[in-house]
Amino acid sequence: MTDALSPPAAYAAPLPPPAQARTRPFHTLAKPIGPACNLRCTYCFYLDKSALFPSSASLRMPDDVLENFIRDYIRLQDAAEISFAWQGGEPTLLGVDFFRKVLTLQQRFADGRPITNALQTNATLIDDAWGEFLAEHGFLVGVSIDGPAELHDSYRIDPRGGPSFARVRQGIEKLKQHRVEFNTLTVVNRRNVKHPLKVYRFLKDIGARFIQFIPLVEREVDANRGGGLASPPCPGERTRTRPAPWSVMPVAYGNFLTAIFDEWVREDVGSTFVQLFDNALGSWLGHGSSLCVFAETCGRAIAIEHDGSVYACDHYVYPQYRLGRLGERTLANMVDSPAQRKFGADKSDTLPAYCRRCEFRFACHGECPKHRFLDTPDGEPGLNYLCAGYRHFFRHIDPYMRKMAELLRQQRPAAQIMALARQWQGRPPRTGRPPPPTRS
């Protein structure tokens, strides 16, 4: 039973026939609780999204929307294994019974195909009941944690302004007790960026073997436009905004990644997996990016809100990027729509000439369009705010990535780079221009 009010008329009417034709692979980030959370992180860009929904509406996905989503998403996937990703807000606010319903629906429509589930959480509500459920059903859990207490609690606070670290750590211990597979997601911000090794070593100490770093980049709207956070820039738009006070500084972010890479490449290759480093190795191997932010184009990672509204991307939940609503349009119709195709192609089509000439374009492709709000040295709009940091990082890792790619092509373990890195003592052999991508 849900606490939703009467569903919109679109849901009261019969749903369209189930989607049958499959489409090119795409990924959905489902937010069944919408912008509801038990924390009030200073840097959160999502809680303000409640303004997109009627104030009287429940922020809980209605049963018919949930069924419609699960059914169509499964039927559109061509992969042998189908992956669902659940986020929020804070999805554990829905309780275990909601996700039991998810599993029942998935099995009803799976037609024998295996299904996996990933859940992103702040972990503050994880108890034994959650631990047992997640372990029993093989959920992969992503835990948001920004480092040790003094760094985590700088911005990740509760509604009263109090710390959240102790409850997050307790939740992680419950996951470990129940042997739930988990990874960590660390938002790199103005504070923790100054302590790269402290953050990295802490994450390893708490048992994280799979680590994600997400740079925090938000902008403030000009005071004469009412304040608040700015929406992502449109292609070619010149903006007059400044980074929010908690946003990471570009060069500091490059130094943060470089410091962690230097320890990882000497000590942890093959035992600790840093998503950004693994992705870079794929690019140096010529395989392209597994992360949308570094891919040449985007548009195949949509966001589904609790009310069934579908948006071009999780970072583009704004009215102009709304593709439609489940029950009114099929998922296939929205993800393959002209508007979404243009959204995805704009990433490459609007890349400034300065970026097209860059030696690291193959590894970066201008990163996320959300961050492209600077002008290039030539005066062209569309330069990524983090460009200086990424250029520093990619230039630093180039000789190591070349060597690891060579090892793998020789069918030798990439971990052999560690002995070489220790021999080089931070002075690897000089290399020329990074190799262009060669797909294999």
Side-chain angles (χ1 to χ4, degrees):
M1 180 176 180
T2 88
D3 57 356
L5 301 177
S6 299
Y11 297 127
L15 292 173
Q20 298 295 335
R22 295 176 182 176
T23 184
R24 289 193 301 120
F26 70 98
H27 174 72
T28 62
L29 185 63
K31 298 184 277 185
I33 191 63
C37 189
N38 61 328
L39 297 184
R40 291 295 182 271
C41 301
T42 307
Y43 56 61
C44 183
F45 68 91
Y46 187 51
L47 290 183
D48 289 345
K49 294 295 187 291
S50 57
L52 293 172
F53 311 106
S55 59
S56 60
S58 167
L59 294 178
R60 181 187 182 99
M61 184 174 279
D63 289 352
D64 53 352
V65 178
L66 180 66
E67 180 172 340
N68 192 13
F69 162 55
I70 291 175
R71 180 197 64 203
D72 280 6
Y73 183 65
I74 289 175
R75 291 180 177 177
L76 286 170
Q77 296 300 313
D78 241 345
E81 182 177 88
I82 301 167
S83 300
F84 283 81
W86 306 95
Q87 194 166 310
E90 177 46 50
T92 58
L93 287 171
L94 291 163
V96 169
D97 285 345
F98 177 89
F99 287 95
R100 293 192 190 281
K101 188 186 311 176
V102 164
L103 294 171
T104 299
L105 290 168
Q106 289 174 340
Q107 290 307 308
R108 182 190 303 176
F109 298 115
D111 194 25
R113 287 190 287 171
I115 290 178
T116 62
N117 287 281
L119 182 77
Q120 185 66 39
T121 175
N122 60 37
T124 58
L125 301 178
I126 299 294
D127 55 14
D128 286 318
W130 270 109
E132 291 170 4
F133 171 79
L134 296 167
E136 178 185 357
H137 298 287
F139 274 64
L140 170 63
V141 177
V143 177
S144 299
I145 186 166
D146 289 353
E150 65 274 19
L151 298 177
H152 176 92
D153 288 333
S154 295
Y155 298 119
R156 298 190 64 81
I157 55 178
D158 65 22
R160 297 183 301 276
S164 66
F165 178 82
R167 283 171 288 163
V168 177
R169 286 289 287 114
Q170 184 177 20
I172 290 174
E173 289 308 308
K174 289 294 182 185
L175 294 175
K176 292 163 70 173
Q177 287 173 21
H178 292 278
R179 299 185 178 180
V180 177
E181 185 179 355
F182 76 96
N183 58 34
T184 57
L185 187 154
T186 297
V187 176
V188 185
N189 55 61
R190 192 73 63 92
R191 290 287 306 280
N192 62 6
V193 74
K194 301 174 184 177
H195 307 279
L197 295 182
K198 189 173 189 178
V199 170
Y200 180 57
R201 292 167 183 170
F202 165 79
L203 295 174
K204 290 194 297 179
D205 287 345
I206 64 172
R209 293 185 62 242
F210 297 88
I211 296 171
Q212 300 179 56
F213 295 117
I214 305 295
L216 176 57
V217 180
E218 296 294 341
R219 297 174 298 141
E220 293 182 320
V221 177
D222 286 347
N224 60 6
R225 294 173 60 189
L229 294 180
S231 60
C234 296
E237 175 188 8
R238 280 195 163 89
T239 63
R240 302 174 68 179
T241 57
R242 62 183 182 184
W246 46 83
S247 291
V248 69
M249 300 302 287
V251 173
Y253 183 57
N255 290 335
F256 175 91
L257 295 176
T258 298
I260 293 174
F261 179 86
D262 283 347
E263 178 152 308
W264 174 83
V265 80
R266 292 193 303 267
E267 306 293 340
D268 298 324
V269 179
S271 59
T272 300
F273 300 89
V274 179
Q275 185 187 51
L276 198 150
F277 303 165
D278 292 344
N279 183 80
L281 181 56
S283 295
W284 259 261
L285 281 165
H287 297 164
S289 172
S290 59
L291 293 176
C292 63
V293 294
F294 294 119
E296 187 171 6
T297 60
C298 57
R300 307 305 293 180
I302 59 175
I304 298 180
E305 288 290 339
H306 67 286
D307 69 342
S309 298
V310 178
Y311 290 85
C313 170
D314 180 41
H315 288 284
Y316 284 78
V317 179
Y318 295 90
Q320 62 269 40
Y321 297 103
R322 186 178 182 273
L323 300 173
R325 178 183 280 181
L326 293 171
E328 298 171 358
R329 301 180 68 186
T330 66
L331 270 178
N333 182 268
M334 287 184 275
V335 78
D336 288 327
S337 66
Q340 184 67 355
R341 289 181 182 275
K342 183 179 185 303
F343 173 84
D346 277 347
K347 180 177 182 183
S348 175
D349 293 345
T350 63
L351 195 65
Y354 177 79
C355 299
R356 295 179 186 278
R357 297 191 300 266
C358 178
E359 59 188 330
F360 297 111
R361 178 184 173 184
F362 74 96
C364 176
H365 292 294
E367 210 244 8
C368 183
K370 169 182 175 285
H371 301 156
R372 295 182 186 177
F373 54 85
L374 298 183
D375 287 351
T376 70
D378 306 323
E380 187 178 2
L383 181 66
N384 195 292
Y385 168 78
L386 295 170
C387 175
Y390 280 128
R391 286 174 68 91
H392 169 73
F393 171 66
F394 289 137
R395 186 173 292 112
H396 180 82
I397 69 173
D398 175 54
Y400 301 95
M401 287 295 166
R402 289 189 192 220
K403 188 61 183 179
M404 280 192 283
E406 178 186 327
L407 290 168
L408 290 172
R409 291 189 183 104
Q410 295 171 352
Q411 298 186 329
R412 296 161 62 191
Q416 290 183 3
I417 188 66
M418 292 189 288
L420 286 172
R422 290 192 287 267
Q423 290 175 16
W424 291 343
Q425 297 182 341
R427 298 187 178 215
R430 294 176 62 88
T431 60
R433 187 178 179 88
T438 55
R439 300 197 179 275
S440 57

